[in-house]
Amino acid sequence: KKETFLEAYHAINNNFKEVFEQISQGSGSLSLENEEDPFSGGLTFVANIRDKRNQKLAGMSGGEKSLTALAFVFAIQKYLPAPFYAFDEVDMHLDGPNVEKLAQIITNQSKTAQFIVVSLRKPMLDNADRMIGVTQKDKGVTKISGIKIKDE
Amino acid sequence: KKETFLEAYHAINNNFKEVFEQISQGSGSLSLENEEDPFSGGLTFVANIRDKRNQKLAGMSGGEKSLTALAFVFAIQKYLPAPFYAFDEVDMHLDGPNVEKLAQIITNQSKTAQFIVVSLRKPMLDNADRMIGVTQKDKGVTKISGIKIKDE
Amino acid sequence: MYIKELEIDNFKSFASKVNIPLMQGFTAVSGPNGSGKSNIIDSILFALSLRTARSLRSEQGVADLISNHNKRNEASVKVVFANDNGEEFSIRRYVKKGKNGVQSNYYYNDKPCSLTQIHLELEKYNISPNSYNVMMQGDVTEITRCSAIERRKIIDEIA
Amino acid sequence: MYIKELEIDNFKSFASKVNIPLMQGFTAVSGPNGSGKSNIIDSILFALSLRTARSLRSEQGVADLISNHNKRNEASVKVVFANDNGEEFSIRRYVKKGKNGVQSNYYYNDKPCSLTQIHLELEKYNISPNSYNVMMQGDVTEITRCSAIERRKIIDEIA
Ligand SMILES: Nc1ncnc2c1ncn2[C@@H]1O[C@H](COP(=O)(O)OP(=O)(O)OP(=O)(O)O)[C@@H](O)[C@H]1O
Ligand SMILES: Nc1ncnc2c1ncn2[C@@H]1O[C@H](COP(=O)(O)OP(=O)(O)OP(=O)(O)O)[C@@H](O)[C@H]1O
Ligand SMILES: [Mg+2]
Ligand SMILES: [Mg+2]
């Protein structure tokens, strides 16, 4: 049990280091509170966005926390790839440039897996291969208003 | 104690009805779980956005919940006006048109009170009287990059 | 392997049968607040039984997932998967409100089957309630908000 | 009555003394993620003692609010209020880390005073920890996420 946990942990940690650097220009890694007996402690992030030093997770900004969490999600996906991914407004806390960066990462990943991404942010919608428009008819009934294919 | 509570509750509820209609084109009100003995129960929202019927708070969308919560905040403000208001990304869940609508409400309120609003959304920034730019120097030190006054 | 089509009938704000064709690659979904975007993602989680009804924002359980726009008392969502060779399979969940509460029925390629069979089939493709391939609204914030122990448990489930 | 100026010194990401002039009406604050926007709002909540250190995202209490960009071990935030007739008053909070932990000192118009005096002065203008005039990142979501009892308590405090 400990072996299989540590094997998964080390693989996901290596992925996290790679993705975190890509998504935040900083450096970060996962960290176990008790490496000897992982099940008696928790898992936390030791991560510095950009050129910041000694950042504490609790003190990070909303956008910085989102980037850290997203790096973790992508790290898990690399370890355990699924055929499809569905993301619901994961770009909500991000500023324009970070939305664009995230959209690029999704575009790359979407070469090997299907991505369905709900978003209200323009940089995300602009990067997609196609867009499904959703609207509401009277009394709030959902209607699919169309599918726009991005011209290549 | 019950009297002062009910006096505040009824005044805030009247404000809520007014603001909720303005912000969501629907109709809504506050509701006490136990009107006879308010302190033994809680407070909930009975609100329908637009022309929807029988909406449950739990089933509302992220944006709809935000509009409902914001209507409550403005209802309290009307009852107990403060000299300044500071809002940190309260428009995060809202689509473009709803950000615009919220910005108009803030513009109106800012005639009688000071509003300091942190936002990443263009419709909100476009409506402000002025904008304070914040950026980070090396190693993450905050620098105020300037104050842009909107030309009238 | 990818989702080729969703068939949503009387689920939440989808008051009548709607077919949503999907393709491989990167598909964005957008529209006004409250229009039904998250309900599309909820419909996938419902059909594949990847989340409980309560986490699909329905306080009274599965019954709240049936559209309140009419009196039909039933709802159904079908997910059609396809692979590059054109082979397909589908998973469908149908619920009906009766006198004794709500009954769920599961179908694999339109033939009745058990929930366990659905989960076994999905696990072949690394799809499970803990696979972190579906991030609902607010899930991202939860990863940094939860305790370090809860975060470790994410790896426990995957290992 | 409005906030005319903030003087932030060695608080969180403000590693040196910064003056931010403010005006009446509607002022927007914008900038990249992590640049320090929320820290400006935190500095107001800190100076006026409207929130605990923990709710200002500092796990280790007030000590975490002092900038880690240098070894100064002190931080100070001053809020200058003004009214339409040009009358002004200021509230300042200064903290210093010593051997016995962190010491907070409060000043009204640059003269030392107690926290109680600060709260009494602010209550004249309906500014209190429960006045709902400051909404931090995520507070809006909390109003619909919390229990009905907690929501009622908001009115209890105001009444
Ligand atoms: N059982 C039901 N019957 C009918 N409508 C329902 C039901 N359950 C939820 N709804 C409605 O569905 C709507 C929510 O849709 P959804 O959460 O998908 O919106 P959204 O497009 O994601 O919006 P946002 O951008 O604000 O997140 C709400 O208006 C809600 O009242
Ligand atoms: N004591 C401290 N010393 C130095 N820096 C600190 C301290 N406490 C917090 N920080 C830093 O302040 C930054 C957070 O700033 P803030 O939360 O104001 O960002 P923001 O502009 O609101 O960003 P967002 O748009 O993502 O919400 C973080 O990078 C954090 O590491
Ligand atoms: Mg949604
Ligand atoms: Mg912030």
Side-chain angles (χ1 to χ4, degrees):
Chain A
K1 194 162 165 46
K2 184 174 154 185
E3 271 65 44
T4 46
F5 174 88
L6 286 174
E7 186 226 318
Y9 169 74
H10 287 302
I12 292 173
N13 193 7
N14 286 338
N15 295 343
F16 180 82
K17 287 175 187 159
E18 208 183 298
V19 178
F20 186 79
E21 192 182 331
Q22 201 187 348
I23 208 170
S24 77
Q25 277 90 42
S27 67
S29 71
L30 305 181
S31 162
L32 287 170
E33 288 176 350
N34 184 339
E35 188 112 12
E36 292 313 311
D37 177 14
F39 300 109
S40 69
L43 170 77
T44 183
F45 302 111
V46 177
N48 289 315
I49 302 262
R50 242 184 271 268
D51 53 0
K52 297 188 184 188
R53 290 191 309 282
N54 310 328
Q55 267 191 304
K56 295 186 172 143
L57 183 66
M60 275 188 181
S61 81
E64 292 175 330
K65 282 178 179 159
S66 277
L67 292 176
T68 307
L70 285 164
F72 187 52
V73 170
F74 285 119
I76 293 173
Q77 287 176 9
K78 259 197 183 140
Y79 179 69
L80 201 68
F84 78 91
Y85 294 97
F87 285 171
D88 194 350
E89 299 195 33
V90 296
D91 52 6
M92 179 156 72
H93 294 271
L94 303 182
D95 58 25
N98 277 328
V99 173
E100 175 68 37
K101 212 181 299 168
L102 177 61
Q104 304 275 336
I105 290 178
I106 291 176
T107 301
N108 282 339
Q109 301 260 354
S110 71
K111 298 196 173 48
T112 54
Q114 178 185 39
F115 275 79
I116 302 165
V117 178
V118 173
S119 175
L120 299 174
R121 309 294 295 272
K122 197 163 151 24
M124 186 63 75
L125 304 179
D126 287 350
N127 273 282
D129 300 331
R130 70 199 67 82
M131 191 175 110
I132 295 178
V134 180
T135 181
Q136 41 194 330
K137 292 188 301 206
D138 57 335
K139 307 273 180 269
V141 174
T142 296
K143 182 168 162 303
I144 304 298
S145 56
I147 300 176
K148 219 174 59 207
I149 314 281
K150 211 169 81 176
D151 341 323
E152 285 320 315
Chain B
K1 193 158 164 54
K2 185 175 155 182
E3 272 64 46
T4 46
F5 174 87
L6 285 176
E7 187 227 317
Y9 169 74
H10 287 301
I12 291 173
N13 191 7
N14 286 338
N15 295 343
F16 180 81
K17 287 175 186 161
E18 210 182 295
V19 178
F20 186 79
E21 191 182 329
Q22 200 187 348
I23 208 169
S24 76
Q25 277 93 44
S27 68
S29 72
L30 306 180
S31 162
L32 286 170
E33 289 177 348
N34 183 340
E35 188 112 14
E36 288 317 307
D37 176 14
F39 300 108
S40 69
L43 169 77
T44 183
F45 301 110
V46 177
N48 290 313
I49 302 262
R50 241 184 269 263
D51 53 359
K52 298 188 184 189
R53 290 191 310 281
N54 310 329
Q55 268 192 301
K56 293 187 173 137
L57 182 67
M60 275 189 181
S61 80
E64 293 175 329
K65 282 179 180 157
S66 276
L67 292 177
T68 307
L70 285 164
F72 186 51
V73 170
F74 284 120
I76 293 172
Q77 287 176 7
K78 259 199 185 136
Y79 178 68
L80 200 69
F84 78 91
Y85 294 99
F87 285 171
D88 195 351
E89 299 195 34
V90 296
D91 54 3
M92 185 156 72
H93 295 271
L94 303 182
D95 59 25
N98 277 328
V99 174
E100 176 67 37
K101 211 181 301 167
L102 177 62
Q104 309 244 315
I105 290 177
I106 291 175
T107 301
N108 281 340
Q109 300 261 353
S110 71
K111 297 196 172 57
T112 54
Q114 178 185 39
F115 275 79
I116 302 165
V117 179
V118 173
S119 174
L120 301 175
R121 308 296 295 273
K122 198 162 154 10
M124 185 64 74
L125 303 178
D126 287 350
N127 273 280
D129 300 329
R130 69 200 67 83
M131 189 173 110
I132 295 178
V134 179
T135 182
Q136 39 195 328
K137 290 189 303 207
D138 57 336
K139 307 273 181 266
V141 174
T142 295
K143 182 162 156 286
I144 304 297
S145 57
I147 300 177
K148 221 174 60 211
I149 314 281
K150 208 169 86 175
D151 343 325
E152 285 320 317
Chain C
M1 247 297 275
Y2 68 100
I3 298 179
K4 181 171 182 242
E5 185 177 42
L6 294 176
E7 188 187 281
I8 309 173
D9 185 11
N10 214 38
F11 177 82
K12 286 197 166 191
S13 53
F14 291 86
S16 54
K17 200 156 145 180
V18 170
N19 280 43
I20 303 178
L22 291 166
M23 296 165 70
Q24 294 187 322
F26 181 1
T27 301
V29 176
S30 202
N33 287 137
S35 55
K37 302 184 296 292
S38 298
N39 288 348
I40 293 174
I41 294 190
D42 289 353
S43 75
I44 298 172
L45 293 168
F46 165 80
L48 307 183
S49 300
L50 294 178
R51 291 279 199 285
T52 64
R54 213 183 143 62
S55 68
L56 298 182
R57 296 174 291 160
S58 84
E59 238 163 25
Q60 323 273 334
V62 179
D64 263 6
L65 298 174
I66 301 171
S67 179
N68 67 15
H69 291 293
N70 53 46
K71 295 259 172 284
R72 281 178 53 195
N73 280 342
E74 58 179 8
S76 154
V77 178
K78 182 179 189 175
V79 178
V80 180
F81 290 95
N83 65 17
D84 296 351
N85 313 334
E87 294 152 20
E88 293 186 16
F89 73 86
S90 73
I91 290 176
R92 177 172 169 248
R93 182 174 174 187
Y94 168 78
V95 293
K96 190 169 177 56
K97 210 187 316 187
K99 276 195 281 313
N100 318 325
V102 184
Q103 189 75 18
S104 276
N105 296 318
Y106 303 91
Y107 301 84
Y108 180 77
N109 288 339
D110 293 324
K111 294 192 199 64
C113 70
S114 72
L115 179 56
T116 318
Q117 281 172 288
I118 300 270
H119 277 154
L120 285 176
E121 180 66 27
L122 290 173
E123 267 167 32
K124 285 186 210 160
Y125 305 101
N126 288 337
I127 299 172
S128 80
N130 309 307
S131 55
Y132 270 79
N133 64 322
V134 181
M135 299 293 285
M136 297 172 71
Q137 231 167 318
D139 279 1
V140 167
T141 322
E142 202 44 41
I143 289 177
T144 47
R145 213 185 115 101
C146 70
S147 73
I149 301 277
E150 279 162 29
R151 210 175 292 135
R152 195 211 69 228
K153 291 207 174 112
I154 296 173
I155 308 254
D156 296 1
E157 305 279 0
I158 290 169
Chain D
M1 253 291 281
Y2 69 102
I3 298 178
K4 179 167 184 255
E5 185 179 41
L6 294 177
E7 188 188 283
I8 308 174
D9 185 13
N10 215 39
F11 177 83
K12 286 198 167 191
S13 53
F14 291 87
S16 53
K17 201 156 144 179
V18 170
N19 280 39
I20 304 178
L22 292 167
M23 295 164 73
Q24 299 201 36
F26 180 1
T27 301
V29 177
S30 202
N33 287 137
S35 55
K37 303 183 295 291
S38 297
N39 288 349
I40 293 174
I41 294 189
D42 289 353
S43 74
I44 298 171
L45 292 168
F46 164 79
L48 307 182
S49 300
L50 295 178
R51 291 280 199 282
T52 64
R54 216 186 140 62
S55 69
L56 298 182
R57 296 175 290 160
S58 83
E59 237 161 26
Q60 323 275 340
V62 178
D64 265 5
L65 298 174
I66 300 171
S67 179
N68 67 14
H69 291 292
N70 54 45
K71 295 264 174 280
R72 280 178 53 195
N73 281 338
E74 58 178 9
S76 154
V77 178
K78 182 181 193 175
V79 179
V80 180
F81 289 95
N83 66 15
D84 296 352
N85 314 334
E87 293 151 25
E88 294 186 11
F89 72 87
S90 72
I91 290 177
R92 178 173 170 245
R93 183 174 173 187
Y94 168 80
V95 292
K96 189 166 178 56
K97 208 187 314 187
K99 276 193 275 325
N100 318 325
V102 185
Q103 188 74 18
S104 277
N105 295 320
Y106 304 92
Y107 300 84
Y108 180 76
N109 288 339
D110 294 326
K111 292 191 205 63
C113 70
S114 72
L115 180 54
T116 318
Q117 281 172 288
I118 300 269
H119 277 154
L120 285 175
E121 179 65 27
L122 289 174
E123 267 167 28
K124 285 186 211 159
Y125 304 100
N126 287 337
I127 299 172
S128 80
N130 309 305
S131 55
Y132 271 76
N133 64 322
V134 180
M135 298 293 286
M136 297 171 72
Q137 234 168 316
D139 280 1
V140 168
T141 322
E142 201 44 42
I143 289 176
T144 49
R145 211 186 120 103
C146 72
S147 73
I149 300 277
E150 280 162 32
R151 211 176 291 135
R152 195 211 68 229
K153 289 207 177 110
I154 296 172
I155 307 250
D156 295 359
E157 305 278 358
I158 291 170

